mmCIF file of all heavy atoms in Angstrom:
data_model
loop_
_atom_site.group_PDB
_atom_site.id
_atom_site.type_symbol
_atom_site.label_atom_id
_atom_site.label_comp_id
_atom_site.label_asym_id
_atom_site.label_seq_id
_atom_site.Cartn_x
_atom_site.Cartn_y
_atom_site.Cartn_z
ATOM 1 N N SER A 950 90.455 98.982 112.066
ATOM 2 C CA SER A 950 91.017 97.671 112.440
ATOM 3 C C SER A 950 92.298 97.782 113.261
ATOM 4 O O SER A 950 92.644 96.855 113.995
ATOM 5 C CB SER A 950 91.257 96.820 111.199
ATOM 6 O OG SER A 950 92.223 97.423 110.363
ATOM 7 N N ASP A 951 93.004 98.912 113.155
ATOM 8 C CA ASP A 951 94.237 99.091 113.935
ATOM 9 C C ASP A 951 93.981 99.081 115.436
ATOM 10 O O ASP A 951 94.882 98.774 116.212
ATOM 11 C CB ASP A 951 94.934 100.402 113.556
ATOM 12 C CG ASP A 951 95.478 100.377 112.149
ATOM 13 O OD1 ASP A 951 95.636 99.276 111.582
ATOM 14 O OD2 ASP A 951 95.733 101.466 111.600
ATOM 15 N N ARG A 952 92.780 99.409 115.846
ATOM 16 C CA ARG A 952 92.439 99.447 117.269
ATOM 17 C C ARG A 952 92.245 98.056 117.862
ATOM 18 O O ARG A 952 92.208 97.887 119.071
ATOM 19 C CB ARG A 952 91.150 100.248 117.492
ATOM 20 C CG ARG A 952 91.313 101.724 117.272
ATOM 21 C CD ARG A 952 90.069 102.492 117.627
ATOM 22 N NE ARG A 952 89.600 102.141 118.956
ATOM 23 C CZ ARG A 952 88.315 102.084 119.297
ATOM 24 N NH1 ARG A 952 87.371 102.333 118.431
ATOM 25 N NH2 ARG A 952 87.962 101.771 120.523
ATOM 26 N N PHE A 953 92.093 97.062 117.009
ATOM 27 C CA PHE A 953 91.794 95.712 117.481
ATOM 28 C C PHE A 953 93.060 94.866 117.541
ATOM 29 O O PHE A 953 93.940 94.974 116.692
ATOM 30 C CB PHE A 953 90.766 95.048 116.564
ATOM 31 C CG PHE A 953 89.428 95.716 116.630
ATOM 32 C CD1 PHE A 953 89.132 96.792 115.813
ATOM 33 C CD2 PHE A 953 88.475 95.296 117.536
ATOM 34 C CE1 PHE A 953 87.909 97.426 115.877
ATOM 35 C CE2 PHE A 953 87.246 95.920 117.620
ATOM 36 C CZ PHE A 953 86.966 96.992 116.791
ATOM 37 N N SER A 954 93.116 94.023 118.540
ATOM 38 C CA SER A 954 94.258 93.113 118.682
ATOM 39 C C SER A 954 94.174 92.015 117.627
ATOM 40 O O SER A 954 93.117 91.769 117.032
ATOM 41 C CB SER A 954 94.248 92.477 120.068
ATOM 42 O OG SER A 954 93.127 91.611 120.193
ATOM 43 N N PHE A 955 95.287 91.340 117.430
ATOM 44 C CA PHE A 955 95.300 90.195 116.522
ATOM 45 C C PHE A 955 94.282 89.155 116.982
ATOM 46 O O PHE A 955 93.536 88.603 116.179
ATOM 47 C CB PHE A 955 96.703 89.581 116.450
ATOM 48 C CG PHE A 955 96.720 88.291 115.704
ATOM 49 C CD1 PHE A 955 96.651 88.289 114.325
ATOM 50 C CD2 PHE A 955 96.772 87.086 116.371
ATOM 51 C CE1 PHE A 955 96.635 87.095 113.619
ATOM 52 C CE2 PHE A 955 96.759 85.890 115.681
ATOM 53 C CZ PHE A 955 96.694 85.899 114.306
ATOM 54 N N ARG A 956 94.249 88.917 118.272
ATOM 55 C CA ARG A 956 93.309 87.934 118.814
ATOM 56 C C ARG A 956 91.866 88.334 118.530
ATOM 57 O O ARG A 956 91.044 87.506 118.140
ATOM 58 C CB ARG A 956 93.527 87.780 120.312
ATOM 59 C CG ARG A 956 92.656 86.732 120.935
ATOM 60 C CD ARG A 956 92.964 86.567 122.390
ATOM 61 N NE ARG A 956 92.132 85.530 122.966
ATOM 62 C CZ ARG A 956 92.167 85.179 124.217
ATOM 63 N NH1 ARG A 956 93.017 85.766 125.046
ATOM 64 N NH2 ARG A 956 91.381 84.240 124.672
ATOM 65 N N GLY A 957 91.552 89.602 118.726
ATOM 66 C CA GLY A 957 90.198 90.083 118.448
ATOM 67 C C GLY A 957 89.818 89.919 116.987
ATOM 68 O O GLY A 957 88.709 89.480 116.660
ATOM 69 N N LEU A 958 90.738 90.259 116.096
ATOM 70 C CA LEU A 958 90.469 90.113 114.666
ATOM 71 C C LEU A 958 90.317 88.650 114.272
ATOM 72 O O LEU A 958 89.416 88.298 113.512
ATOM 73 C CB LEU A 958 91.584 90.774 113.847
ATOM 74 C CG LEU A 958 91.659 92.294 113.944
ATOM 75 C CD1 LEU A 958 92.912 92.806 113.249
ATOM 76 C CD2 LEU A 958 90.413 92.951 113.371
ATOM 77 N N SER A 959 91.181 87.801 114.810
ATOM 78 C CA SER A 959 91.072 86.377 114.456
ATOM 79 C C SER A 959 89.769 85.789 114.976
ATOM 80 O O SER A 959 89.135 84.988 114.285
ATOM 81 C CB SER A 959 92.281 85.578 114.958
ATOM 82 O OG SER A 959 92.295 85.461 116.359
ATOM 83 N N GLY A 982 96.153 93.894 107.064
ATOM 84 C CA GLY A 982 96.736 94.335 108.326
ATOM 85 C C GLY A 982 97.520 93.277 109.081
ATOM 86 O O GLY A 982 98.171 93.587 110.081
ATOM 87 N N LEU A 983 97.505 92.051 108.624
ATOM 88 C CA LEU A 983 98.200 90.981 109.352
ATOM 89 C C LEU A 983 99.698 91.223 109.525
ATOM 90 O O LEU A 983 100.219 90.992 110.624
ATOM 91 C CB LEU A 983 97.943 89.628 108.695
ATOM 92 C CG LEU A 983 96.537 89.058 108.904
ATOM 93 C CD1 LEU A 983 96.404 87.732 108.162
ATOM 94 C CD2 LEU A 983 96.208 88.899 110.369
ATOM 95 N N PRO A 984 100.421 91.691 108.510
ATOM 96 C CA PRO A 984 101.862 91.905 108.712
ATOM 97 C C PRO A 984 102.178 92.892 109.835
ATOM 98 O O PRO A 984 103.176 92.725 110.539
ATOM 99 C CB PRO A 984 102.341 92.441 107.357
ATOM 100 C CG PRO A 984 101.352 91.909 106.379
ATOM 101 C CD PRO A 984 100.037 91.904 107.120
ATOM 102 N N VAL A 985 101.331 93.877 110.025
ATOM 103 C CA VAL A 985 101.550 94.886 111.072
ATOM 104 C C VAL A 985 101.413 94.266 112.465
ATOM 105 O O VAL A 985 102.054 94.696 113.413
ATOM 106 C CB VAL A 985 100.549 96.054 110.904
ATOM 107 C CG1 VAL A 985 100.677 97.065 112.028
ATOM 108 C CG2 VAL A 985 100.745 96.717 109.554
ATOM 109 N N LYS A 986 100.597 93.240 112.574
ATOM 110 C CA LYS A 986 100.317 92.621 113.866
ATOM 111 C C LYS A 986 101.154 91.355 114.096
ATOM 112 O O LYS A 986 100.855 90.565 114.985
ATOM 113 C CB LYS A 986 98.828 92.311 113.976
ATOM 114 C CG LYS A 986 97.980 93.574 113.872
ATOM 115 C CD LYS A 986 96.587 93.340 114.343
ATOM 116 C CE LYS A 986 95.763 94.587 114.280
ATOM 117 N NZ LYS A 986 96.083 95.586 115.250
ATOM 118 N N ALA A 987 102.214 91.181 113.325
ATOM 119 C CA ALA A 987 103.006 89.947 113.365
ATOM 120 C C ALA A 987 103.514 89.598 114.755
ATOM 121 O O ALA A 987 103.539 88.425 115.134
ATOM 122 C CB ALA A 987 104.178 90.038 112.390
ATOM 123 N N GLU A 988 103.896 90.583 115.546
ATOM 124 C CA GLU A 988 104.433 90.256 116.871
ATOM 125 C C GLU A 988 103.352 89.778 117.840
ATOM 126 O O GLU A 988 103.670 89.243 118.890
ATOM 127 C CB GLU A 988 105.221 91.420 117.445
ATOM 128 C CG GLU A 988 104.483 92.729 117.528
ATOM 129 C CD GLU A 988 105.421 93.884 117.845
ATOM 130 O OE1 GLU A 988 106.445 94.044 117.173
ATOM 131 O OE2 GLU A 988 105.094 94.626 118.772
ATOM 132 N N GLU A 989 102.083 89.949 117.479
ATOM 133 C CA GLU A 989 100.977 89.469 118.320
ATOM 134 C C GLU A 989 100.519 88.062 117.925
ATOM 135 O O GLU A 989 99.663 87.490 118.588
ATOM 136 C CB GLU A 989 99.767 90.405 118.202
ATOM 137 C CG GLU A 989 99.975 91.807 118.697
ATOM 138 C CD GLU A 989 98.718 92.643 118.483
ATOM 139 O OE1 GLU A 989 97.603 92.175 118.788
ATOM 140 O OE2 GLU A 989 98.855 93.773 117.992
ATOM 141 N N PHE A 990 101.034 87.527 116.822
ATOM 142 C CA PHE A 990 100.560 86.242 116.303
ATOM 143 C C PHE A 990 100.649 85.138 117.344
ATOM 144 O O PHE A 990 101.588 85.069 118.117
ATOM 145 C CB PHE A 990 101.381 85.800 115.092
ATOM 146 C CG PHE A 990 101.070 86.506 113.812
ATOM 147 C CD1 PHE A 990 100.179 87.565 113.760
ATOM 148 C CD2 PHE A 990 101.678 86.114 112.646
ATOM 149 C CE1 PHE A 990 99.918 88.217 112.563
ATOM 150 C CE2 PHE A 990 101.427 86.759 111.449
ATOM 151 C CZ PHE A 990 100.543 87.804 111.406
ATOM 152 N N SER A 991 99.678 84.276 117.306
ATOM 153 C CA SER A 991 99.712 83.039 118.087
ATOM 154 C C SER A 991 99.363 81.903 117.129
ATOM 155 O O SER A 991 98.660 82.120 116.144
ATOM 156 C CB SER A 991 98.689 83.080 119.225
ATOM 157 O OG SER A 991 97.367 83.005 118.705
ATOM 158 N N PRO A 992 99.833 80.706 117.394
ATOM 159 C CA PRO A 992 99.488 79.582 116.525
ATOM 160 C C PRO A 992 97.974 79.379 116.422
ATOM 161 O O PRO A 992 97.455 79.138 115.331
ATOM 162 C CB PRO A 992 100.171 78.388 117.188
ATOM 163 C CG PRO A 992 101.316 78.986 117.939
ATOM 164 C CD PRO A 992 100.809 80.319 118.426
ATOM 165 N N GLN A 993 97.266 79.499 117.544
ATOM 166 C CA GLN A 993 95.815 79.310 117.525
ATOM 167 C C GLN A 993 95.131 80.392 116.690
ATOM 168 O O GLN A 993 94.223 80.101 115.906
ATOM 169 C CB GLN A 993 95.241 79.329 118.947
ATOM 170 C CG GLN A 993 93.744 79.057 118.994
ATOM 171 C CD GLN A 993 93.393 77.661 118.517
ATOM 172 O OE1 GLN A 993 93.939 76.701 119.025
ATOM 173 N NE2 GLN A 993 92.512 77.551 117.547
ATOM 174 N N GLY A 994 95.559 81.629 116.842
ATOM 175 C CA GLY A 994 94.972 82.720 116.066
ATOM 176 C C GLY A 994 95.201 82.558 114.578
ATOM 177 O O GLY A 994 94.297 82.784 113.770
ATOM 178 N N MET A 995 96.419 82.163 114.205
ATOM 179 C CA MET A 995 96.706 81.937 112.786
ATOM 180 C C MET A 995 95.880 80.770 112.250
ATOM 181 O O MET A 995 95.381 80.828 111.130
ATOM 182 C CB MET A 995 98.200 81.673 112.581
ATOM 183 C CG MET A 995 99.049 82.921 112.706
ATOM 184 S SD MET A 995 98.543 84.268 111.609
ATOM 185 C CE MET A 995 98.792 83.545 110.002
ATOM 186 N N ALA A 996 95.742 79.733 113.051
ATOM 187 C CA ALA A 996 94.920 78.594 112.631
ATOM 188 C C ALA A 996 93.470 79.019 112.451
ATOM 189 O O ALA A 996 92.813 78.611 111.485
ATOM 190 C CB ALA A 996 95.031 77.465 113.644
ATOM 191 N N ILE A 998 92.328 82.001 111.664
ATOM 192 C CA ILE A 998 92.192 82.810 110.455
ATOM 193 C C ILE A 998 92.295 81.945 109.206
ATOM 194 O O ILE A 998 91.478 82.072 108.284
ATOM 195 C CB ILE A 998 93.226 83.952 110.441
ATOM 196 C CG1 ILE A 998 92.823 85.014 111.475
ATOM 197 C CG2 ILE A 998 93.332 84.582 109.054
ATOM 198 C CD1 ILE A 998 93.763 86.175 111.588
#
Side-chain angles (χ1 to χ4, degrees):
S950 63
D951 292 342
R952 289 186 51 215
F953 294 87
S954 67
F955 171 76
R956 183 177 181 181
L958 292 172
S959 70
L983 287 178
V985 176
K986 299 196 178 288
E988 55 191 51
E989 296 178 46
F990 284 5
S991 70
Q993 183 64 54
M995 286 305 298
I998 288 179

